[in-house]
Amino acid sequence: MKIFIILMGFVYCNSIQLSKAQGTAFLSNLSDSEIGVSAVGSDVWWGQTLQTGTNTEGYILNSVQLKLDAPSGAAHGFNLSISQSNPNIFIGNLSGPDPTSSGMFTYIGAGIHLLPSSQYFLVVSASSLTTDGAYMWSYSSAPPNAVGGWSIMRRYRSTDGVNWLIADRSSAFQFAVYATAVPEPSSLALLGLGGSFLFTRLARKSRSKALRQP
């Protein structure tokens, strides 16, 4: 019983470490030169498309980091969400700060599962009209750093969050996507086999020790 508890504690500690992991930066153009900013408000929504990589089991989204300039006026109610296939197929919100200055801001993905080789939209909006106050999302024309078959695609714009038009094909908003590639079933099976082998050896050793005691 003691061995089982120790083993389960080992598995639990490792799962905690995995949950805290930032993941891999599969996409990033944060270090590129900014060439402009786009105002974000309740009347100006932005969607940045991206394509996931080729990992067979897909990816778990850890976080998204955005590069923003200082907001104007009384901007409030910043929101970052993610959609699949088109901006209106919502799959989840990301949690993070309401930016009050320029800088890099991190938004947590809460374990959203992304399919392989699929198109997704990072959708940014706000509660305030741009005439009252707007957030400023910077963009760059430089090719992004991408690994594992990921890619950044075109930008979309909407005035109501429902009807979308392509805004620009030659630039991309500045952001980074951190995700964890989901292991293939064969890898998980090997991990389980290793854990089972370790448990069996520890159990036998404990039993043998008990039999030798007077």
Side-chain angles (χ1 to χ4, degrees), residues 66-104:
L66 305 181
K67 183 179 180 182
L68 300 170
D69 280 14
S72 67
H76 63 275
F78 185 87
N79 184 71
L80 173 62
S81 62
I82 186 165
S83 301
Q84 184 181 0
S85 301
N86 73 67
N88 296 324
I89 304 180
F90 172 84
I91 63 171
N93 274 318
L94 285 81
S95 59
D98 196 334
T100 57
S101 62
S102 62
M104 307 287 187

Side-chain angles (χ1 to χ4, degrees), residues 39-46 71-80 93 97-99 123-135 159-160:
V40 178
S42 61
D43 54 337
V44 181
W45 297 50
W46 288 99
S72 67
H76 63 275
F78 185 87
N79 184 71
L80 173 62
N93 274 318
D98 196 334
V123 178
V124 171
S125 62
S127 300
S128 53
L129 289 168
T130 53
T131 52
D132 298 327
Y135 297 95
T159 58
D160 56 10

Side-chain angles (χ1 to χ4, degrees), residues 52-189:
T52 56
T54 56
N55 183 60
T56 305
E57 300 301 316
Y59 305 83
I60 298 299
L61 179 62
N62 296 89
S63 63
V64 172
Q65 195 172 29
L66 305 181
K67 183 179 180 182
L68 300 170
D69 280 14
S72 67
H76 63 275
F78 185 87
N79 184 71
L80 173 62
S81 62
I82 186 165
S83 301
Q84 184 181 0
S85 301
N86 73 67
N88 296 324
I89 304 180
F90 172 84
I91 63 171
N93 274 318
L94 285 81
S95 59
D98 196 334
T100 57
S101 62
S102 62
M104 307 287 187
F105 298 89
T106 299
Y107 297 85
I108 305 303
I112 296 171
H113 183 237
L114 305 178
L115 299 175
S117 304
S118 299
Q119 180 174 275
Y120 288 89
F121 288 76
L122 295 177
V123 178
V124 171
S125 62
S127 300
S128 53
L129 289 168
T130 53
T131 52
D132 298 327
Y135 297 95
M136 302 294 176
W137 194 2
S138 64
Y139 56 88
S140 170
S141 62
N145 296 316
V147 297
W150 288 62
S151 61
I152 290 178
M153 303 170 73
R154 60 183 66 92
R155 298 193 292 151
Y156 282 75
R157 185 179 187 276
S158 174
T159 58
D160 56 10
V162 177
N163 301 293
W164 294 84
L165 295 173
I166 295 175
D168 196 345
R169 299 174 184 271
S170 61
S171 63
F173 283 115
Q174 292 192 271
F175 70 101
V177 173
Y178 295 88
T180 301
V182 178
E184 294 186 11
S186 57
S187 300
L188 292 174

